[in-house]
Amino acid sequence: MKIAMVCHPTHGGSGVVASELGMRLAGKGHEVHFVSHERPFRLDPMTIGVHFHRVHVSSYPLFRYPPYALALANQLSRVIQDHDIDIVHAHYAIPHSLAGILARNMNRDRDVKVVTTLHGTDITLVGTDPSYTDITRWAMEESDYVTGVSDWLAEETQQTLGQQLIVKTIPNAVDTEAFSPEKACPNLRQRFCSGGELLVAHVSNFRPVKRTEDVIRIFAKASEGLSVRMLMIGDGPDRAAAEAEARRLSIWDRVEWLGIIDDTAPLLASSDLFLLPSENESFGLAALEAMACGLPVVATGSGGIPEVVIEGETGSLAAVGDIETLARKARELIEDEERRSSFAGTARQRVLERFRWDPVIEQYETAYGQLFSGGS
Ligand code: GMT
């Protein structure tokens, strides 16, 4: 099939999932055209069968807000015509799904279908914002097929936008070779903890939903009196507040602020524990990548996280903002090497059994096929 893939190109789970999906579909003989304002960071330009089309957004004095969605729809329409596209697969509802629907409707003489994959904040934040609720609902109704990355997100979408919407759960997956305990790098460990301390890691875009200050508070409590260091990977609006919290709690010298890193696997695989105390995660791809590297995860049990992290088996869960419990559970894992290594093994095993790409690709291919065989 010929697929136009639309996604956010920046660091974030939805762009990663779209890129990995597109490259794997191309590997199975599909022709995949990515359409975005930048090349997605995980998209390998050398992949055979993958193409990239940049969206150019012109700015005019009358446009106080340059209309990206329209420039995207215009570029998508061109790609549909030039490459005889069968499916526009939009990752994230607004504006991607909407632009896909516009482009499809601009080409009514062709049989183009729109598949929308919901990733989380497109429903939980954007979809619940009164400025976007109605248009998000309309985009879902007009999509030919809607998927969500967890059962929780599928149900949340129905509750937010209407029970009549059909949302098929297709979970995220991870490259189990790229994210593997084998990526551990002794030099990295030495660089961050020359005295043989343990390493705790966090990866995110440091947005409010990630509760980055809680990461610091949990680490401070969990590591009190112990030889442990923290790797903060990523960047975003709450970094300054998290840095201030680290100073306030006098743990500044035990935290490394690494900024945005494209390949996090060596850092994760060289660490011992992962923290994800988010307000909400529809899925928690960052936790899945950590588990694939053999890390136990201490996280909030919010949203779709319990579909990924199993309490008492691959990690520990507690309520949002419950620093005491999250820190206690993290400390238990730091202090108990046997428990930590048992969780680490089970985490990797769970990823291999439930979150590999091959079956996920098949589910997307089945969805695509149903659209052209009259099924739904
Ligand atoms: O978490 C973010 O801020 C990034 C966001 C995105 O759209 O890239 O991540 C969402 O999609 C990921 C991939 O499906 C999920 O693993 C994340 O849980 C989800 N984020 C939230 O729901 C907050």
Side-chain angles (χ1 to χ4, degrees), residues 15-244:
V16 168
V17 168
S19 302
E20 296 279 354
L21 172 63
M23 290 189 289
R24 282 173 167 74
L25 286 168
K28 292 187 82 176
H30 300 281
E31 188 177 306
V32 186
H33 295 261
F34 278 80
V35 185
S36 191
H37 53 91
E38 298 284 346
R39 179 185 294 281
F41 83 98
R42 269 286 172 91
L43 189 64
D44 180 354
M46 305 307 279
T47 315
I48 293 168
V50 165
H51 309 266
F52 172 62
H53 308 266
R54 191 180 301 280
V55 179
H56 298 277
V57 190
S58 307
S59 185
Y60 295 99
L62 269 178
F63 290 169
R64 184 163 172 204
Y65 307 105
Y68 176 68
L70 301 186
L72 173 59
N74 192 78
Q75 179 66 302
L76 269 173
S77 175
R78 278 199 194 145
V79 172
I80 286 171
Q81 291 165 19
D82 291 349
H83 300 280
D84 210 8
I85 294 294
D86 302 301
I87 288 175
V88 174
H89 191 159
H91 292 260
Y92 218 82
I94 301 294
H96 297 159
S97 178
L98 194 67
I101 290 158
L102 269 176
R104 177 195 66 193
N105 292 3
M106 287 162 74
N107 292 276
R108 286 194 197 277
D109 53 326
R110 296 165 181 266
D111 190 11
V112 181
K113 307 289 189 197
V114 174
V115 175
T116 297
T117 291
L118 299 171
H119 283 273
T121 46
D122 42 4
I123 296 301
T124 57
L125 297 181
V126 182
T128 54
D129 178 340
S131 300
Y132 300 112
T133 304
D134 292 352
I135 201 156
T136 303
R137 181 183 299 109
W138 184 81
M140 294 311 98
E141 287 166 354
E142 283 290 305
S143 294
D144 297 291
Y145 201 103
V146 180
T147 77
V149 296
S150 62
D151 288 338
W152 178 85
L153 182 59
E155 281 164 29
E156 190 68 13
T157 304
Q158 288 177 322
Q159 275 184 17
T160 306
L161 301 178
Q163 293 296 332
Q164 77 288 354
L165 285 174
I166 296 170
V167 183
K168 159 99 177 139
T169 301
I170 302 185
N172 288 331
V174 62
D175 182 335
T176 53
E177 281 175 25
F179 287 86
S180 146
E182 286 176 18
K183 296 284 166 172
C185 174
N187 293 346
L188 270 180
R189 260 196 107 82
Q190 264 172 11
R191 183 187 153 196
F192 296 118
C193 40
S194 50
E197 300 112 317
L198 293 191
L199 270 182
V200 178
H202 169 77
V203 182
S204 79
N205 50 27
F206 291 31
R207 296 211 177 107
V209 73
K210 304 294 175 183
R211 296 183 73 100
T212 322
E213 286 165 82
D214 280 6
V215 175
I216 296 298
R217 291 176 190 135
I218 293 162
F219 173 70
K221 271 189 186 296
S223 64
E224 215 174 318
L226 303 176
S227 279
V228 193
R229 296 180 70 81
M230 174 91 220
L231 300 182
M232 294 293 282
I233 306 164
D235 210 332
D238 283 354
R239 175 165 170 175
E243 286 186 1

Side-chain angles (χ1 to χ4, degrees), residues 198 200 222 226 228 273 330-337 340:
L198 293 191
V200 178
L226 303 176
V228 193
L273 179 66
R331 193 177 179 95
E332 279 166 15
L333 283 163
I334 290 168
E335 289 189 312
D336 186 344
E337 188 180 349
R340 199 173 65 241

